[in-house]
């Protein structure tokens, strides 16, 4: 069976890359290796996606769908006998409706292209994260991506009104709803959001847009204790009248890393505090917003909640604060990082972090660093443990056991915003009961009985 020839007959010569050409492509921005697959199909329409899936289904060929390849959990890995289905040629923004406040897009549109297009109409798509230039909206829906504004607007799931999806056998399910309220039976789109390409291939989306905020107030804050961080979050949220848009926490080692050479960033406040917060409010009235933000900061200072703060005086200041938060790649200077994206109750975070700091040296010795930062308001921490590259394979399982077992006692989530992929599937039972997993498997069997779509991922 010549997969390449068969698929080319369906979607054209340039629509399909053969294995040797697939192998010239990078496996993603975070990956040192290249792709491999029997073929890579690049359909240009939903009908072509359906044709590829119908053929693969009939011939028992597994299909791995690709968006921007910015994921971190090996959710898009393909094997040499599998077909990669890339949405890279489906990059059209089909319409933007400023009255209904929706955008209808093809799945291969990148986040940044959408952000720029809606901004031109004074509208706003609120999911944002550093990989915006590469990550695609189809991939973001398939993984339910989070980011830096979840505290105010929710995750990708909360921005999707409708989807068009192709099922494993090539059936097109067009559910392109654009209504905010629509309680007419099962909400089918939710099945596919966060399913990591295992239940269907998302081809088009109707996304909810918001009015664009026009002002921004940002501060970098130093705090003496974790209780203060928690109280500061409540204080700011209460004081800002619904305009709090980000609340990012950093434990001291991460702050020192991103504000010390070879990092380009410089410390906006002293490096001596145990905790740091990047807080931001977005609004629409410069004077009013600034007065309210500064008053809230002053009150926090006077009551002793915070001990130091730099308040951005310009967009450049604000951008430099965010650059510190986004400099996650600096952990690479300390070794090869074992990274985690976990959720846990805010009240448990400090205890969890303290125990990890204490246990790590017992398990893996002293030769490592521990960086913790994340989206505190969402209960989401990113943990990074760089180790010597030569030790990585041996130490990774030990570090994973420490982190994930530590979540077990309060049923934290082994994935907050990155998904399960291959990387976390062994640990999924930490967060999900047997009954829950059985229901997931029943859905998978109902929609993809031959196990053609992204086989082996999640469970
Ligand atoms: Zn994140």
């Amino acid at each position: 069976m010549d997969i390449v020839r068969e698929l080319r007959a369906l979607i054209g010569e340039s629509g399909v890359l053969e294995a040797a050409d697939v192998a010239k492509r990078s496996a993603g921005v975070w990956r040192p290796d290249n792709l491999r697959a029997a073929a890579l199909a690049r359909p240009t329409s939903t009908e072509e996606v359906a044709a590829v899936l119908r053929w693969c289904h009939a011939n028992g060929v597994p299909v791995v769908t690709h968006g921007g390849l910015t994921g971190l959990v090996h959710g898009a890995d393909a094997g040499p006998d599998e077909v990669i289905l890339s949405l890279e040629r489906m990059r059209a923004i089909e319409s933007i409706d400023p009255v209904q406040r929706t955008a209808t897009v093809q799945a291969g549109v990148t986040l940044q292209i959408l952000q720029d297009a809606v901004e031109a109409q004074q509208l706003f798509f609120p999911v944002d994260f550093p990989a915006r230039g590469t990550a695609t909206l189809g991939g973001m829906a398939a993984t339910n991506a989070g980011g830096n504004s979840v505290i105010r607007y929710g995750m990708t799931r909360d921005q999707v009104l409708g989807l068009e999806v192709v099922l494993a056998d090539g059936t097109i399910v067009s559910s392109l709803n654009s209504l905010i309220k629509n309680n007419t039976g099962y909400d089918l789109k939710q099945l596919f959001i966060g399913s990591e390409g295992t239940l269907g291939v998302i081809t088009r989306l109707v996304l909810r847009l918001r009015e664009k905020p026009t002002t921004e107030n940002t501060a970098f804050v130093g705090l003496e204790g974790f209780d203060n961080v928690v109280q500061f979050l409540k204080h700011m949220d209460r004081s800002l009248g619904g305009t709090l848009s980000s609340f990012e926490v950093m434990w001291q080692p991460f702050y020192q890393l991103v504000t010390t050479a070879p990092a380009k960033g410089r410390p906006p406040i002293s490096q001596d505090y145990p905790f740091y917060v990047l807080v931001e409010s977005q609004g629409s009235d410069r004077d009013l917003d600034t007065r309210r933000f500064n008053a809230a900061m002053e009150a926090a200072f006077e009551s002793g909640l915070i001990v130091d703060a730099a308040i951005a005086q310009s967009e450049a200041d604000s951008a430099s604060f965010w650059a510190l938060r986004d400099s996650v790649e600096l952990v690479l200077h300390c070794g090869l990082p074992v990274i985690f994206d976990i959720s846990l109750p805010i009240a448990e975070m400090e205890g969890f972090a303290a125990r990890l700091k204490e246990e790590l040296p017992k398990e893996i010795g002293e030769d490592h660093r521990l960086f913790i930062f994340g989206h505190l308001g969402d209960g989401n921490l990113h943990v990074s443990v760089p180790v010597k590259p030569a030790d990585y394979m041996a130490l990774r399982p030990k570090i994973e056991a420490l982190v994930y077992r530590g979540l077990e006692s309060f049923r934290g989530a082994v994935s907050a915003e990155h998904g399960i992929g291959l990387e976390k599937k062994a640990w999924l039972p930490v967060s999900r009961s047997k009954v829950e997993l059985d229901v997931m498997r029943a859905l998978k069997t109902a929609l993809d009985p031959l196990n053609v779509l992204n086989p082996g991922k999640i469970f």
Side-chain angles (χ1 to χ4, degrees):
M1 178 170 68
D2 186 340
I3 296 178
V4 173
R5 202 185 62 207
E6 300 265 348
L7 291 179
R8 279 183 174 157
L10 295 171
I11 64 169
E13 183 80 17
S14 61
V16 184
L17 304 184
E18 56 189 16
D21 290 325
V22 178
K24 290 175 193 156
R25 290 185 163 207
S26 160
V29 289
W30 300 102
R31 300 277 296 270
D33 53 332
N34 277 8
L35 292 178
R36 56 184 186 152
L40 185 148
R42 311 186 304 146
T44 56
S45 66
T46 302
E47 289 68 30
E48 287 191 358
V49 172
V52 170
L53 286 176
R54 211 177 296 121
W55 185 88
C56 289
H57 192 258
N59 292 279
V61 176
V63 179
V64 179
T65 306
H66 278 191
L69 297 181
T70 59
L72 292 162
V73 295
H74 295 263
D77 286 12
D81 301 323
E82 298 178 328
V83 166
I84 292 173
L85 177 62
S86 169
L87 279 300
E88 67 195 46
R89 294 208 293 177
M90 292 183 64
R91 286 188 184 270
I93 295 177
E94 296 180 350
S95 64
I96 295 170
D97 182 338
V99 175
Q100 189 68 10
R101 294 186 283 199
T102 57
T104 302
V105 303
Q106 292 183 332
V109 174
T110 64
L111 173 57
Q112 186 155 23
I113 296 281
L114 177 73
Q115 286 174 336
D116 293 348
V118 302
E119 201 177 312
Q121 307 209 24
Q122 280 77 56
L123 290 165
F124 178 59
F125 182 71
V127 179
D128 190 36
F129 46 78
R132 60 185 75 82
T134 317
T136 64
L137 291 155
M140 287 170 59
T143 56
N144 188 27
N148 296 337
S149 324
V150 174
I151 189 172
R152 176 141 165 208
Y153 296 101
M155 297 178 75
T156 301
R157 184 185 299 286
D158 301 289
Q159 327 306 329
V160 178
L161 294 176
L163 284 184
E164 178 184 74
V165 177
V166 183
L167 301 182
D169 66 359
T171 304
I172 298 170
V173 183
S174 186
S175 194
L176 288 170
N177 167 67
S178 60
L179 305 172
I180 289 175
K181 293 183 163 183
N182 184 349
N183 277 350
T184 52
Y186 297 165
D187 192 353
L188 294 176
K189 67 177 182 282
Q190 300 297 355
L191 265 184
F192 301 98
I193 299 170
S195 72
E196 302 184 45
T198 62
L199 297 181
V201 176
I202 296 168
T203 47
R204 291 160 76 210
L205 309 91
V206 181
L207 299 165
R208 182 177 182 185
L209 306 174
R210 318 294 170 119
E211 296 300 327
K212 186 178 150 43
T214 51
T215 68
E216 222 168 59
N217 293 90
T218 316
F220 219 107
V221 179
L223 305 97
E224 295 281 19
F226 191 78
D227 282 348
N228 296 338
V229 177
V230 176
Q231 291 309 317
F232 182 53
L233 166 63
K234 286 172 67 66
H235 163 75
M236 291 304 274
D237 208 357
R238 203 186 297 127
S239 309
L240 291 173
T243 62
L244 177 68
S245 54
S246 289
F247 195 92
E248 300 289 310
V249 68
M250 293 162 218
W251 268 245
Q252 186 184 43
F254 184 81
Y255 181 72
Q256 291 179 342
L257 175 77
V258 300
T259 54
T260 309
K264 291 201 191 78
R266 289 294 162 263
I269 54 178
S270 153
Q271 292 182 321
D272 295 335
Y273 306 113
F275 298 98
Y276 296 84
V277 166
L278 173 54
V279 60
E280 185 173 87
S281 150
Q282 292 180 329
S284 60
D285 182 322
R286 182 154 318 279
D287 289 345
L288 187 82
D289 294 337
T290 301
R291 238 181 300 134
R292 184 167 55 186
F293 186 83
N294 291 349
M297 290 290 294
E298 251 175 65
F301 197 73
E302 275 162 17
S303 66
L305 267 187
I306 64 177
V307 286
D308 200 354
I311 296 180
Q313 302 299 323
S314 63
E315 276 182 33
D317 283 353
S318 166
S320 71
F321 292 175
W322 274 107
L324 298 177
R325 164 60 182 82
D326 287 345
S327 298
V328 289
E329 76 288 346
L330 289 168
V331 298
L332 290 167
H333 290 295
C334 309
L336 194 55
V338 184
I339 58 169
F340 299 91
D341 158 49
I342 55 173
S343 272
L344 64 166
I346 292 173
E348 308 286 355
M349 282 179 173
E350 193 192 15
F352 174 86
R355 193 166 71 186
L356 191 59
K357 188 178 167 196
E358 193 186 304
E359 305 267 309
L360 262 176
K362 295 184 205 157
E363 279 292 321
I364 68 167
E366 301 286 344
D367 209 3
H368 67 272
R369 304 282 300 275
L370 169 63
F371 298 110
I372 306 178
F373 57 96
H375 319 284
L376 182 98
D378 315 331
N380 177 192
L381 292 183
H382 294 308
V383 177
S384 184
V385 186
V387 298
K388 278 197 208 139
D391 297 338
Y392 181 86
M393 292 313 282
L395 296 187
R396 194 182 122 180
K398 294 183 182 176
I399 302 170
E400 283 182 344
L402 266 187
V403 170
Y404 291 141
R405 294 243 164 77
L407 293 177
E408 222 154 12
S409 47
F410 32 80
R411 288 194 87 194
V414 299
S415 176
E417 56 179 1
H418 293 173
I420 297 297
L422 291 175
E423 182 165 308
K424 302 186 179 186
K425 78 175 187 173
W427 296 100
L428 187 55
V430 168
S431 303
R432 294 305 196 104
S433 68
K434 182 181 176 304
V435 175
E436 286 176 301
L437 290 170
D438 286 346
V439 174
M440 290 188 204
R441 286 199 185 89
L443 287 169
K444 171 71 173 169
T445 308
L447 288 173
D448 181 17
L450 303 185
N451 196 23
V452 168
L453 292 178
N454 213 7
K457 308 298 177 3
I458 303 184
F459 39 63

